[in-house]
Amino acid sequence: NFCYCKAITHLQFHSRDISIQQYAFMTNKLQVIDFHIDGILNIDESAFTFNRCTETLRSVKFPRIVQLIVDGKFGSHALPGNRPPISTIHKDAFKMRSRRESSTKAFQYCKRCSHLCQFWKWLDKRERQHCSSQPDSSRNRVYDCVCDKDIDILQQVAKLVPPPPNDLIHAIVTDLHCHNVIFSKIPTDIILKVVGYI
């Protein structure tokens, strides 16, 4: 726990497996956070807590996989059902203690990373379930239903501003079209529009 190290301005993580618990870092001087390029993160809510509105946090360099996700290049780096581990970053991992939410680019970037990682983790879980239950013959395809959690995630995807990268959209639409009874009957270019109205 580094919550009493309030003078820290730069953090560099050398470990690949990184778990950061709530209130681990409470500071107003932190400027740069640099995670290991091959790191897998598990960052709790308010892990990085800033006591007052601050403009000091300038840069957060996430691991390569997170950067690929944000840049819209993750979908082309691994096949469905065989994707590399995806970090878990709470949407409020970087939190202001004041009531008004920070609008700095660094804070907004971190929140976007969190959402996109969450969407990919959800999709990866679905893909792995389909791969493990998929028989060798494509004629005997296994279809599933969309549960409440799926609908919640799909609504979040549809409402994200700016919209998610195309590789995520394409992967979600393909999964729904191939493995859902209802969406398999809908043209792929209409699926995401339908999801937006659910």
Side-chain angles (χ1 to χ4, degrees):
N1 192 332
F2 297 91
C3 65
Y4 297 106
C5 300
K6 298 183 187 292
I8 293 176
T9 59
H10 291 68
L11 279 175
Q12 188 171 29
F13 293 90
H14 297 283
S15 174
R16 289 185 180 179
D17 292 320
I18 302 165
S19 290
I20 305 175
Q21 297 178 344
Q22 190 174 39
Y23 306 126
F25 296 94
M26 297 177 73
T27 179
N28 285 320
K29 297 186 177 180
L30 191 57
Q31 298 173 22
V32 176
I33 303 170
D34 189 2
F35 292 103
H36 191 286
I37 192 164
D38 294 320
I40 304 298
L41 310 179
N42 186 0
I43 306 178
D44 290 348
E45 179 182 7
S46 301
F48 295 90
T49 303
F50 295 81
N51 293 321
R52 62 180 184 273
C53 187
T54 178
E55 302 292 326
T56 60
L57 185 62
R58 296 189 324 253
S59 168
V60 179
K61 185 176 180 184
F62 282 109
R64 182 176 57 89
I65 294 298
V66 177
Q67 291 176 17
L68 288 172
I69 286 171
V70 173
D71 293 342
K73 298 176 182 174
F74 182 68
S76 63
H77 274 71
L79 296 173
N82 193 28
R83 300 193 191 277
I86 299 166
S87 293
T88 301
I89 305 167
H90 192 280
K91 68 181 178 72
D92 292 321
F94 297 81
K95 188 76 173 169
M96 298 298 300
R97 292 189 84 176
S98 62
R99 288 187 181 178
R100 80 181 181 92
E101 187 175 332
S102 174
S103 60
T104 65
K105 287 183 180 179
F107 278 79
Q108 294 306 315
Y109 175 75
C110 293
K111 189 163 276 201
R112 184 166 176 82
C113 290
S114 168
H115 287 302
L116 294 176
C117 285
Q118 175 193 9
F119 301 155
W120 272 110
K121 281 182 82 74
W122 164 80
L123 181 61
D124 181 55
K125 182 178 178 184
R126 285 181 56 86
E127 290 173 342
R128 289 178 191 274
Q129 289 170 345
H130 297 145
C131 287
S132 65
S133 63
Q134 184 73 30
D136 291 334
S137 172
S138 60
R139 288 177 289 169
N140 297 324
R141 183 166 288 174
V142 176
Y143 291 99
D144 63 12
C145 296
V146 177
C147 68
D148 289 343
K149 182 178 179 181
D150 296 331
I151 291 171
D152 181 53
I153 292 286
L154 290 169
Q155 287 175 336
Q156 289 179 52
V157 169
K159 292 176 183 175
L160 190 66
V161 178
N166 288 336
D167 67 328
L168 175 61
I169 298 297
H170 180 265
I172 289 173
V173 167
T174 300
D175 180 77
L176 291 172
H177 188 70
C178 292
H179 299 287
N180 183 270
V181 174
I182 296 170
F183 288 115
S184 65
K185 314 254 187 266
I186 301 173
T188 55
D189 57 329
I190 299 176
I191 289 176
L192 200 63
K193 293 177 184 175
V194 171
V195 167
Y197 289 103
I198 292 178

